[in-house]
Amino acid sequence: MIKVVRTYDFPGAFEIEKEVFGDQIEIIEAPSVTEDDLIRNCRDADAVICEYEPFTKRVIDALPNLKLIAFGTIGFNYADVEYAQSKGIAVSHISRYCITEVADYTVGMILMLNRSIHSFHNQIKEDKKWNFDAVMNMRRLGTQTVGLLGFGNIPRLIAERLKPFGVKIIAYDPYVDKIEAKQKYATDIVSLDEVLAGSDILSIHLPVNEDTERIINDESISKMKDEVTVINSARGQMVDETAIVNAIESGKIGYYAADVLADEHPDLNTHPFMEHENIILTPHIAFYSEESVREASLESATNVKNFFEGNYKNAQIVNGVNL
């Protein structure tokens, strides 16, 4: 029997996986945080369903039966994908779950920050002041340009949601058809430098890889408008966190709103973001709804089932490895 280990705890996942696998695949839940945890818990696994666990070269070498690393997330940067490929191990991810939730989160954050709702709320609740003029630099959203780094499923939904507000939308994505983006989503596909220089609000939606890691750094920030708003609902590794702090302190970035940090298990007592009220944080919840949680478990389990049935086309493999 094929043995699959899920290396994280996810509400309701076990029942959904059993529903998908039936009696053909054994599923075991074994939360694993460290490399040693993974080596101990997954030693006999034919496949793993993982999230943010470190499937490094060391871990991969220690799992002789492993044939598939199936991510239950859109991002798959926590595995050494190229090394897995060299060992004949497939890596898959899920691409359809939570795109609605993340798009809604991003647009909600844009609206909140543009209208300074959080600032007025804090003024009333904490300072006990009822002053309309506490924030006087607000601009009509429709006069502004929203830049999207990446133009996949999520940013396309963001573009659709923002259309009624009359904003100008530009995006950087070298793999997207410019004509389709313009005609269908009213979005201009431009260069990275043009997005950085032209955006009043910049939202990050790229995958993490060697080309995009820390794409927001001192150099790229220097190309942005003064007091730009930056929103990150992708991955914490997309930004140089020290550069963000410096830009907030200098006023180059007006607001940085993040659902993700570079460390998935941050120490909030020491993290420098905690000292700045213009850095808005949420604990990696942009993906969440009851519906998306079920969809994530269903999609990742279906990828595993498709892989072992030889239906590689529908297994969402990202590194081209088949059995």
Side-chain angles (χ1 to χ4, degrees):
M1 180 179 287
I2 297 166
K3 180 178 179 180
V4 178
V5 176
R6 177 163 37 79
T7 56
Y8 59 96
D9 182 17
F10 208 54
F14 187 78
E15 291 74 16
I16 294 169
E17 290 157 351
K18 289 293 292 181
E19 179 184 322
V20 173
F21 296 153
D23 296 328
Q24 300 176 346
I25 297 176
E26 178 188 12
I27 178 70
I28 296 172
E29 181 180 281
S32 307
V33 176
T34 67
E35 292 183 10
D36 289 339
D37 292 338
L38 292 172
I39 292 170
R40 181 176 60 255
N41 294 331
C42 306
R43 190 174 300 277
D44 298 326
D46 297 290
V48 294
I49 299 176
C50 58
E51 192 175 44
Y52 310 119
E53 297 72 51
F55 277 89
T56 61
K57 180 179 183 293
R58 173 176 174 250
V59 172
I60 291 170
D61 281 339
L63 305 179
N65 295 339
L66 191 63
K67 303 171 185 67
L68 173 65
I69 301 171
F71 277 86
T73 57
I74 295 174
F76 46 87
N77 55 294
Y78 286 87
D80 190 329
V81 177
E82 291 185 1
Y83 188 69
Q85 183 180 35
S86 74
K87 299 282 286 188
I89 298 170
V91 178
S92 69
H93 77 139
I94 57 179
S95 62
R96 296 179 289 273
Y97 104 108
C98 86
I99 60 174
T100 295
E101 285 78 6
V102 178
D104 290 347
Y105 171 95
T106 303
V107 173
M109 190 64 75
I110 290 172
L111 294 174
M112 183 190 76
L113 294 176
N114 182 68
R115 297 304 303 160
S116 295
I117 292 171
H118 66 296
S119 296
F120 286 114
H121 170 81
N122 291 339
Q123 169 195 277
I124 294 169
K125 289 283 190 170
E126 296 176 10
D127 300 334
K128 305 298 189 292
K129 294 181 179 179
W130 190 264
N131 298 332
F132 83 93
D133 57 354
V135 179
M136 294 300 291
N137 60 345
M138 289 191 292
R139 293 173 52 207
R140 182 175 295 168
L141 184 58
T143 67
Q144 299 182 61
T145 297
V146 174
L148 304 169
L149 292 186
F151 201 64
N153 292 331
I154 292 169
R156 292 179 187 194
L157 289 181
I158 292 169
E160 289 181 347
R161 283 156 170 71
L162 288 174
K163 278 182 184 179
F165 294 96
V167 299
K168 179 181 179 181
I169 304 174
I170 57 177
Y172 164 72
D173 194 319
Y175 305 104
V176 166
D177 186 304
K178 293 183 178 181
I179 296 175
E180 179 190 17
K182 183 65 174 178
Q183 292 179 345
K184 190 171 181 180
Y185 301 101
T187 298
D188 292 318
I189 303 298
V190 298
S191 70
L192 175 59
D193 282 353
E194 287 175 300
V195 171
L196 294 173
S199 300
D200 299 291
I201 300 165
L202 182 69
S203 190
I204 305 170
H205 302 282
L206 291 168
V208 177
N209 55 45
E210 60 182 12
D211 295 322
T212 63
E213 188 171 5
R214 294 193 175 190
I215 195 170
I216 304 302
N217 51 44
D218 287 326
E219 181 181 358
S220 59
I221 290 171
S222 71
K223 299 175 182 179
M224 298 178 190
K225 291 184 178 182
D226 292 340
E227 298 185 345
V228 63
T229 292
V230 180
I231 299 172
N232 185 3
S233 58
R235 282 288 186 267
Q237 295 86 355
M238 301 298 297
V239 307
D240 179 333
E241 293 184 340
T242 299
I244 293 292
V245 170
N246 291 338
I248 285 287
E249 291 179 347
S250 71
K252 182 67 175 180
I253 292 179
Y255 287 108
Y256 177 66
D259 187 50
V260 285
L261 297 176
D263 186 349
E264 283 294 333
H265 305 282
D267 183 349
L268 298 181
N269 293 308
T270 61
H271 200 289
F273 282 3
M274 299 296 290
E275 300 175 8
H276 300 278
E277 64 179 26
N278 282 17
I279 296 179
I280 313 300
L281 300 175
T282 54
H284 207 154
I285 50 79
F287 78 95
Y288 180 77
S289 71
E290 292 186 7
E291 292 81 3
S292 71
V293 167
R294 175 174 174 79
E295 288 169 359
S297 298
L298 182 62
E299 191 174 348
S300 57
T302 301
N303 283 344
V304 174
K305 183 173 186 290
N306 282 334
F307 178 80
F308 284 107
E309 289 181 348
N311 185 7
Y312 305 121
K313 182 180 179 181
N314 294 319
Q316 302 194 75
I317 298 167
V318 299
N319 65 344
V321 175
N322 301 329
L323 280 180

